Amino acid sequence: MQLGLVGLGRMGGNMRERLRRAGHEVIGYDPNPEKSDVPGLADMVAKLTMPRVIWIMVPQQFTEDTIDKLVEVLHEGDLIIDGGNSKFTDDKPRAERLAGHGIGYLDVGVSGGVWGLANGYGLMVGGAKEDVAKAQPIFDALKPEGEFGFSHAGPVGAGHYAKMVHNGIEYGLMHAYAEGYELLEASEYITDVPAVIKSWRSGTVIRSWLLDLLDLQLDDDPKLDTLRGYAEDTGEGRWTVDEAVRLAVPLNVIAASLFARFASRQEDSPTMKAVAALRNQFGGHAVKKEIG
Amino acid sequence: MQLGLVGLGRMGGNMRERLRRAGHEVIGYDPNPEKSDVPGLADMVAKLTMPRVIWIMVPQQFTEDTIDKLVEVLHEGDLIIDGGNSKFTDDKPRAERLAGHGIGYLDVGVSGGVWGLANGYGLMVGGAKEDVAKAQPIFDALKPEGEFGFSHAGPVGAGHYAKMVHNGIEYGLMHAYAEGYELLEASEYITDVPAVIKSWRSGTVIRSWLLDLLDLQLDDDPKLDTLRGYAEDTGEGRWTVDEAVRLAVPLNVIAASLFARFASRQEDSPTMKAVAALRNQFGGHAVKKEIG
Amino acid sequence: MQLGLVGLGRMGGNMRERLRRAGHEVIGYDPNPEKSDVPGLADMVAKLTMPRVIWIMVPQQFTEDTIDKLVEVLHEGDLIIDGGNSKFTDDKPRAERLAGHGIGYLDVGVSGGVWGLANGYGLMVGGAKEDVAKAQPIFDALKPEGEFGFSHAGPVGAGHYAKMVHNGIEYGLMHAYAEGYELLEASEYITDVPAVIKSWRSGTVIRSWLLDLLDLQLDDDPKLDTLRGYAEDTGEGRWTVDEAVRLAVPLNVIAASLFARFASRQEDSPTMKAVAALRNQFGGHAVKKEIG
Amino acid sequence: MQLGLVGLGRMGGNMRERLRRAGHEVIGYDPNPEKSDVPGLADMVAKLTMPRVIWIMVPQQFTEDTIDKLVEVLHEGDLIIDGGNSKFTDDKPRAERLAGHGIGYLDVGVSGGVWGLANGYGLMVGGAKEDVAKAQPIFDALKPEGEFGFSHAGPVGAGHYAKMVHNGIEYGLMHAYAEGYELLEASEYITDVPAVIKSWRSGTVIRSWLLDLLDLQLDDDPKLDTLRGYAEDTGEGRWTVDEAVRLAVPLNVIAASLFARFASRQEDSPTMKAVAALRNQFGGHAVKKEIG
């Protein structure tokens, strides 16, 4: 089928390629003319037969603006899919606005990163059943082979919500592996840490794709010497913890993983300065040893 | 090659089968005569040509006793492998004791559970290089096909140590998935939780064998109604946290997972009773609302 | 000086009493005529000489409505003080709305509970310096004797913000004591837990008012048998964690305390059901013992 | 009464002074002749009338050696009190050894630091009732005025155990205040952080001696600029977490406080390096932004 695809960066570009390999006709637009198939958004839309399906794959700060521009050139019966990392609370207002123009809306959480071109993308979709049906051939081409990798998670918002929880889990998984790695490194019992990590990749309970990635990194960098212990966080981890607070869900592991990222970016810890201040005070100014 | 195998329970029995399928000659002994190939330990040893290799696969509380009995019937040059869940601190004293009899010792962490017969077992080995070499054909048959699933982690103790860390990570991974599951269940945004979990099995960053298992459970039991929120812990999780304390490694995620298991087994929480007591006191006895 | 006081519940009633003991003229209004000094809000306002100062001490869900009604009867130059548990984000819009009528606004975080009548209340104030000055005699009468117990924390919003952080800390402190209590109770080493708690009340590093309260409860109820391990949370704990997420502050202890309250209110834990599901799956359906 | 006091450092020296002010006769021994009342341990013992009471106040690594030397010069009926920070598991073997010589033994947890001379020391005692009675006048002089500050916590070991839990709680309390401090500092809502902290010292739910100390530090150092966010831990925090693991007590807050101290001492975090490695791998090598 035909698809208009807005945003041809690392994710969008690979998705265009995967869709074309599957035989779909993709008209891609990107502000960068070297990547773009057409000079402008309107040109992209003009090349598509109604009813059109447009997939937006832009950084979340540009999504609203892109939708504003699309509304001007789309018609009743068209469908917009946001595959970017929008916050789930943005989806319902957006869908209602588009419904006012007779335009459908789906939100899709997309996972898989740079590996998605080859492996397929995990897709979680929110929206109305009939809208999902319209785009199903696209979803089928983007998702991996086999029975997994696609879900219709619920009404509008559910796709981004499911992706948010996916990323929250991801934080926790990464941190669990990372803590285990640190303990292996710290212990005098283990002499070949990379070998242990590698052996875990098959037969064990903890085998996973993330573990495969850790092993790949250790192949090149067995002590992780090329890296600093520093990690950004994207919105999803924070939103996950906010949702846990809203819904009264005890989310100890995921929150601890998020907080560790926060701490990794601090030059010095004000919390630990205050702890040091207290130890200083009750122990006597001149001394370092705790006596309390 | 020949192997004496002590302990033919769920794990040992399957391992015998997997080894035999690979063409090894296994003489298995178990106190249960229906499972055992021989009437007694001495009979098992008598059937093996020197130098012998004996694999012990018994619950850890019986390991020392099994070794005591084996020492009486083994000879210099024989090799004992402990594949059970012994604590890593037991291995070195045990190896030294056996060395006094000229008997070699390897400790092996074995992962894979009931799925190991079909998939192979993840193996982490501690001990001397020459002892590992003697048992390598056995390891090669037990481990999964392919390049992963086996490591020589270090000297005696390293195998059980690596398995302990594996299990610590396992606690953290399970908890991260479980927290995400709870959040999906709690949210009004998601209408089909099992579908979301299933979709994550392919293409996503968080795909893993544990996730596959969660999906399998949800196939039969979409709300987990058949289960109570209760989890035992085995020694490994506790030892992992003890090691983090010994080595000054911040292990927030794994410790939180362990503590959640502790809490899951309490009828009521003394900690939360004390919190309730404090709220009671500063809020005034007759009221439930916090005013502090 | 004169003060109009809206809300004469447990907190407001005691505050009226403390202010009167200090010689201030308080006209109190409460919907409950048995508590109220006047039949209605307008009557209260009518009894006060301009420029008036009105202190609102009502549950936060009634605050906006109370302000709406006050705006109708107050005049330019009057001052409204919100001493309730409003969210700090409500304060600035509220102050701006009142400024449109020439009415000043202060937000005050009030701590001390039922003990405040005798001990005085801890007060944290947000707003303009000149507005703080107008109400200073009231603050001086409400706060405890001595140099502590009052702060001008910053502009509008700062008072409720400081109170929010106060309550977040309170969660953490309560939980630290409560965990220690549970450990004492669990251990075979300690035969007289209440005696230990009591001894900590003087001379130790951990002495505090909360510890005094725990001891008071144990005097009556040495095993906390009269209480369930159940704790509500009020908005402040959740807002504190939300703020930590917004500002990228690692708030492990306070978040863990909040999550423990969430968990205390669950009949069963969906997270732990999912953990049980995973253990079930990899251990074999029929068994309870972990073998992974 | 008479007391032999071994160890006249910061703690022991102040305790001698406090006991003398209370009218007790203290013969103090310290290896440093400038502090010591006598040239040697034997001289100290010789000056005491039987049955003697000897209080040991030395760093824990010297305690066993001190006891060895005392055993040589003491007699049946004498009593040794260890007021240092010994591990609670050392007490019972020690008491049994001394009982073989007819010498009694008490273990005492002492809290109060440099402030104890003026304020008195919090004392938690483990041992037999009759031994406690023998030393009661000493305890009465060391403890603060009033009904609090002394407990007989249980049999031998209970004193050090109670002190261990005290210190575990202390870690949690310090961390809760410190997190609140960091949040206040991070927020744009609060313009005068030290004023807020100071105001909390009276009337609030969270007032405590530790809070007083934080305020004292902020008086001199309002931004904590003189301090690094670095904190050692002494044995007690680690033992507390080890005990939680042994007794299956969920100790989230105290463990998180301990782990934060561990983290504060790391140049870089191996855990966060492993997290960075994973983000690196799934996001594509050249980029920093998470796309998973």
Side-chain angles (χ1 to χ4, degrees):
Chain A
M1 62 178 276
Q2 277 190 322
L3 182 77
L5 179 55
V6 184
L8 300 167
R10 213 152 27 103
M11 289 294 284
N14 281 344
M15 289 164 72
R16 177 174 60 178
E17 177 61 21
R18 187 169 171 93
L19 288 166
R20 284 181 176 164
R21 288 182 192 170
H24 294 296
E25 182 189 351
V26 183
I27 316 295
Y29 167 71
D30 193 275
N32 179 343
E34 293 188 20
K35 295 178 180 173
S36 193
D37 300 325
V38 286
L41 263 189
D43 306 280
M44 180 193 80
V45 170
K47 291 209 170 194
L48 300 167
T49 310
M50 288 193 282
R52 308 171 188 97
V53 179
I54 312 290
W55 186 297
I56 302 174
M57 205 67 198
V58 302
Q60 54 160 308
Q61 62 270 33
F62 303 124
T63 308
E64 284 300 323
D65 189 49
T66 303
I67 288 176
D68 287 345
K69 288 178 183 150
L70 282 171
V71 164
E72 292 171 23
V73 288
L74 293 181
H75 289 88
E76 200 175 323
D78 291 344
L79 174 67
I80 289 179
I81 299 172
D82 175 23
N85 281 329
S86 297
K87 189 166 179 188
F88 63 95
T89 47
D90 293 339
D91 291 312
K92 211 177 161 193
R94 194 181 281 167
E96 285 167 359
R97 179 159 71 99
L98 291 170
H101 301 273
I103 300 170
Y105 179 74
L106 295 174
D107 59 289
V108 184
V110 179
S111 181
V114 293
W115 305 74
L117 172 57
N119 297 346
Y121 299 90
L123 305 174
M124 302 136 251
V125 182
K129 217 170 172 177
E130 54 276 18
D131 288 332
V132 177
K134 285 179 195 165
Q136 193 67 51
I138 298 299
F139 298 142
D140 289 343
L142 286 174
K143 72 179 272 297
E145 301 272 307
E147 59 180 310
F148 311 122
F150 172 84
S151 58
H152 181 193
V156 159
H160 284 135
Y161 199 97
K163 178 57 166 34
M164 173 194 77
V165 177
H166 166 283
N167 282 31
I169 293 171
E170 180 189 302
Y171 279 45
L173 301 181
M174 289 165 79
H175 216 79
Y177 285 120
E179 287 183 359
Y181 167 79
E182 178 168 344
L183 192 55
L184 290 178
E185 271 296 339
S187 176
E188 71 276 30
Y189 283 86
I190 302 295
T191 53
D192 193 344
V193 172
V196 171
I197 301 284
K198 191 177 285 293
S199 70
W200 287 345
R201 292 183 60 180
S202 184
T204 69
V205 171
I206 65 171
R207 63 188 187 264
S208 74
W209 190 65
L210 279 166
L211 184 67
D212 294 348
L213 294 184
L214 181 56
D215 178 49
L216 289 182
Q217 177 78 26
L218 290 168
D219 277 347
D220 297 333
D221 184 15
K223 287 284 199 179
L224 304 183
D225 287 329
T226 67
L227 294 159
R228 278 184 49 222
Y230 177 101
E232 296 289 349
D233 70 282
T234 52
E236 288 86 359
R238 299 192 188 203
W239 302 335
T240 303
V241 175
D242 285 340
E243 276 295 282
V245 168
R246 182 178 72 88
L247 296 166
V249 170
L251 213 76
N252 294 282
V253 159
I254 293 173
S257 306
L258 178 67
F259 291 152
R261 294 196 179 190
F262 292 166
S264 81
R265 304 196 302 256
Q266 297 183 315
E267 279 290 312
D268 198 358
S269 160
T271 291
M272 292 313 299
K273 289 173 82 157
V275 168
L278 289 168
R279 299 183 79 236
N280 211 26
Q281 284 288 338
F282 68 68
H285 276 281
V287 285
K288 287 208 167 177
K289 201 178 160 299
E290 180 161 343
I291 55 129
Chain B
M1 63 177 274
Q2 278 190 321
L3 182 77
L5 179 56
V6 184
L8 300 166
R10 214 153 27 104
M11 290 293 282
N14 280 345
M15 289 164 73
R16 176 175 62 180
E17 179 60 21
R18 186 167 171 94
L19 287 166
R20 283 179 176 164
R21 289 183 191 170
H24 293 295
E25 182 190 350
V26 182
I27 315 295
Y29 167 71
D30 193 274
N32 179 343
E34 292 187 20
K35 295 179 180 172
S36 193
D37 299 325
V38 287
L41 263 189
D43 306 281
M44 180 193 80
V45 169
K47 291 210 171 191
L48 299 167
T49 311
M50 290 192 283
R52 307 171 189 96
V53 179
I54 313 289
W55 186 297
I56 302 174
M57 205 67 198
V58 302
Q60 55 159 305
Q61 63 270 32
F62 302 125
T63 307
E64 284 300 322
D65 189 49
T66 303
I67 288 175
D68 287 346
K69 288 178 183 150
L70 282 171
V71 164
E72 294 172 21
V73 289
L74 293 180
H75 289 89
E76 202 176 318
D78 290 345
L79 174 67
I80 289 178
I81 299 172
D82 176 22
N85 282 328
S86 296
K87 189 166 179 186
F88 64 95
T89 47
D90 292 340
D91 291 312
K92 208 174 162 197
R94 195 181 280 166
E96 285 167 359
R97 180 160 70 100
L98 290 171
H101 299 275
I103 300 170
Y105 179 73
L106 294 174
D107 59 290
V108 184
V110 180
S111 181
V114 293
W115 304 76
L117 173 57
N119 297 345
Y121 299 90
L123 305 175
M124 302 136 251
V125 182
K129 216 170 175 179
E130 54 274 20
D131 288 332
V132 177
K134 285 179 195 165
Q136 194 66 52
I138 297 300
F139 298 142
D140 288 344
L142 287 174
K143 72 180 271 298
E145 301 273 307
E147 60 180 309
F148 311 121
F150 172 83
S151 59
H152 181 193
V156 159
H160 284 136
Y161 199 98
K163 179 57 168 33
M164 173 195 78
V165 177
H166 167 282
N167 282 31
I169 292 171
E170 181 189 302
Y171 279 45
L173 301 181
M174 289 166 77
H175 216 78
Y177 285 120
E179 287 183 0
Y181 167 79
E182 178 168 345
L183 192 56
L184 290 178
E185 271 296 341
S187 177
E188 70 278 29
Y189 283 86
I190 303 295
T191 54
D192 192 345
V193 172
V196 171
I197 301 284
K198 192 177 285 295
S199 70
W200 288 344
R201 292 183 60 180
S202 185
T204 69
V205 171
I206 65 171
R207 63 189 187 264
S208 74
W209 189 65
L210 280 166
L211 184 68
D212 295 347
L213 294 184
L214 181 57
D215 178 49
L216 289 182
Q217 178 79 25
L218 290 168
D219 278 346
D220 297 333
D221 184 13
K223 287 284 199 179
L224 303 183
D225 287 330
T226 66
L227 293 160
R228 276 183 50 221
Y230 177 101
E232 296 288 350
D233 70 282
T234 52
E236 288 86 358
R238 300 193 189 203
W239 302 334
T240 304
V241 175
D242 284 341
E243 276 294 284
V245 168
R246 181 178 72 88
L247 296 166
V249 170
L251 213 75
N252 294 281
V253 159
I254 292 173
S257 307
L258 178 67
F259 291 153
R261 295 197 179 189
F262 291 166
S264 81
R265 305 196 302 257
Q266 296 184 316
E267 279 291 311
D268 198 359
S269 160
T271 290
M272 291 313 299
K273 290 174 79 156
V275 168
L278 288 169
R279 298 184 79 236
N280 211 28
Q281 285 288 337
F282 68 67
H285 277 280
V287 286
K288 286 207 168 178
K289 202 179 159 299
E290 180 161 343
I291 54 130
Chain C
M1 63 178 274
Q2 277 190 323
L3 183 77
L5 178 56
V6 184
L8 300 166
R10 214 152 27 101
M11 289 294 283
N14 281 343
M15 289 163 74
R16 176 175 60 179
E17 179 60 22
R18 188 170 170 91
L19 287 166
R20 284 181 176 165
R21 289 182 192 171
H24 293 294
E25 183 190 350
V26 182
I27 315 296
Y29 168 71
D30 194 275
N32 180 344
E34 294 188 19
K35 295 179 180 171
S36 193
D37 300 324
V38 287
L41 263 188
D43 306 281
M44 180 193 79
V45 169
K47 292 210 170 191
L48 299 167
T49 310
M50 287 192 284
R52 307 173 189 97
V53 180
I54 313 289
W55 186 298
I56 303 173
M57 204 68 198
V58 302
Q60 54 160 307
Q61 62 271 32
F62 303 125
T63 307
E64 284 300 323
D65 191 47
T66 303
I67 288 175
D68 287 345
K69 288 180 182 148
L70 283 172
V71 164
E72 293 171 24
V73 288
L74 292 181
H75 289 87
E76 201 175 322
D78 290 343
L79 174 67
I80 290 179
I81 299 172
D82 176 22
N85 282 328
S86 297
K87 190 168 179 186
F88 64 95
T89 47
D90 293 341
D91 291 312
K92 210 175 160 196
R94 193 180 283 165
E96 285 167 0
R97 179 158 71 98
L98 290 170
H101 299 274
I103 301 170
Y105 178 74
L106 295 174
D107 59 290
V108 184
V110 180
S111 181
V114 293
W115 305 75
L117 172 57
N119 297 345
Y121 299 90
L123 305 175
M124 301 136 251
V125 182
K129 216 171 173 179
E130 55 276 20
D131 288 331
V132 176
K134 286 180 196 166
Q136 193 67 51
I138 299 299
F139 297 142
D140 288 344
L142 287 174
K143 71 179 272 297
E145 300 272 307
E147 58 180 311
F148 311 122
F150 172 84
S151 58
H152 181 193
V156 159
H160 284 135
Y161 199 96
K163 179 57 167 33
M164 173 195 79
V165 177
H166 167 282
N167 282 29
I169 292 172
E170 180 188 303
Y171 279 45
L173 300 181
M174 289 166 78
H175 216 79
Y177 285 120
E179 287 183 0
Y181 167 79
E182 178 168 344
L183 192 55
L184 291 178
E185 271 296 340
S187 175
E188 70 278 28
Y189 283 86
I190 302 294
T191 53
D192 193 345
V193 172
V196 171
I197 301 285
K198 192 177 286 295
S199 70
W200 288 345
R201 291 184 62 180
S202 184
T204 69
V205 171
I206 65 171
R207 62 189 187 264
S208 74
W209 189 64
L210 280 166
L211 184 68
D212 294 348
L213 294 184
L214 182 56
D215 178 48
L216 289 183
Q217 178 78 27
L218 290 168
D219 277 348
D220 296 333
D221 184 14
K223 287 284 199 180
L224 303 184
D225 286 330
T226 67
L227 293 160
R228 277 183 51 222
Y230 177 101
E232 296 289 349
D233 70 281
T234 52
E236 288 86 358
R238 299 192 188 203
W239 302 334
T240 303
V241 174
D242 284 341
E243 276 294 283
V245 168
R246 180 178 74 87
L247 295 167
V249 170
L251 213 76
N252 294 281
V253 158
I254 293 173
S257 307
L258 178 67
F259 291 153
R261 294 197 180 190
F262 292 166
S264 80
R265 305 197 301 257
Q266 296 184 315
E267 279 291 312
D268 199 358
S269 160
T271 291
M272 291 313 298
K273 290 174 80 157
V275 168
L278 288 169
R279 299 184 79 236
N280 212 25
Q281 285 289 338
F282 68 67
H285 276 281
V287 285
K288 287 207 168 176
K289 202 180 160 298
E290 180 163 342
I291 54 131
Chain D
M1 64 178 272
Q2 278 190 322
L3 182 76
L5 179 55
V6 184
L8 300 167
R10 213 153 26 104
M11 289 294 282
N14 281 344
M15 290 164 73
R16 176 176 59 180
E17 177 60 21
R18 187 169 171 93
L19 287 166
R20 284 180 176 163
R21 289 182 191 171
H24 293 295
E25 182 189 351
V26 183
I27 316 295
Y29 168 71
D30 194 275
N32 179 344
E34 293 187 20
K35 296 179 180 173
S36 193
D37 300 325
V38 287
L41 262 189
D43 306 282
M44 179 192 80
V45 169
K47 292 210 170 191
L48 299 167
T49 311
M50 288 192 283
R52 307 172 188 98
V53 180
I54 313 289
W55 186 297
I56 303 174
M57 205 68 198
V58 301
Q60 55 159 306
Q61 63 270 31
F62 303 124
T63 308
E64 283 301 321
D65 189 48
T66 303
I67 288 175
D68 287 345
K69 287 177 183 152
L70 283 171
V71 163
E72 292 172 22
V73 288
L74 293 181
H75 289 88
E76 202 175 320
D78 290 344
L79 174 67
I80 289 178
I81 299 172
D82 175 22
N85 282 328
S86 297
K87 190 168 179 187
F88 64 95
T89 47
D90 293 340
D91 291 313
K92 210 174 161 195
R94 194 181 282 167
E96 285 167 359
R97 179 158 72 99
L98 290 171
H101 300 274
I103 300 170
Y105 178 75
L106 295 174
D107 59 289
V108 183
V110 180
S111 181
V114 292
W115 304 76
L117 172 58
N119 297 344
Y121 299 90
L123 305 174
M124 302 137 249
V125 182
K129 215 170 173 178
E130 54 275 19
D131 288 331
V132 176
K134 284 178 196 168
Q136 193 66 52
I138 298 299
F139 298 143
D140 289 344
L142 287 174
K143 72 180 271 297
E145 300 273 308
E147 60 180 308
F148 310 122
F150 172 84
S151 59
H152 181 193
V156 160
H160 284 135
Y161 199 96
K163 178 57 166 35
M164 173 194 77
V165 177
H166 167 282
N167 282 29
I169 292 172
E170 179 188 302
Y171 280 45
L173 301 181
M174 288 166 78
H175 215 79
Y177 285 119
E179 287 184 0
Y181 167 79
E182 178 168 343
L183 193 54
L184 290 178
E185 272 295 342
S187 176
E188 71 277 28
Y189 282 86
I190 302 295
T191 52
D192 193 344
V193 172
V196 171
I197 301 284
K198 191 176 287 292
S199 70
W200 288 345
R201 291 183 63 179
S202 184
T204 69
V205 171
I206 65 172
R207 63 188 187 265
S208 74
W209 189 65
L210 279 166
L211 184 68
D212 295 346
L213 295 184
L214 181 56
D215 178 49
L216 289 183
Q217 178 79 26
L218 290 169
D219 278 347
D220 297 332
D221 184 14
K223 287 284 198 180
L224 303 184
D225 287 329
T226 66
L227 294 160
R228 277 183 49 222
Y230 177 101
E232 297 288 349
D233 70 282
T234 52
E236 288 85 359
R238 300 193 188 203
W239 302 335
T240 303
V241 175
D242 285 340
E243 275 295 283
V245 168
R246 181 178 73 87
L247 295 166
V249 169
L251 213 75
N252 294 281
V253 159
I254 293 173
S257 308
L258 178 67
F259 291 153
R261 295 197 178 189
F262 292 167
S264 81
R265 304 197 301 258
Q266 297 184 316
E267 279 291 311
D268 198 359
S269 159
T271 290
M272 291 313 299
K273 289 174 81 156
V275 168
L278 288 168
R279 299 183 79 237
N280 211 27
Q281 285 288 337
F282 68 68
H285 276 279
V287 285
K288 286 207 168 179
K289 199 175 162 300
E290 181 161 342
I291 55 132

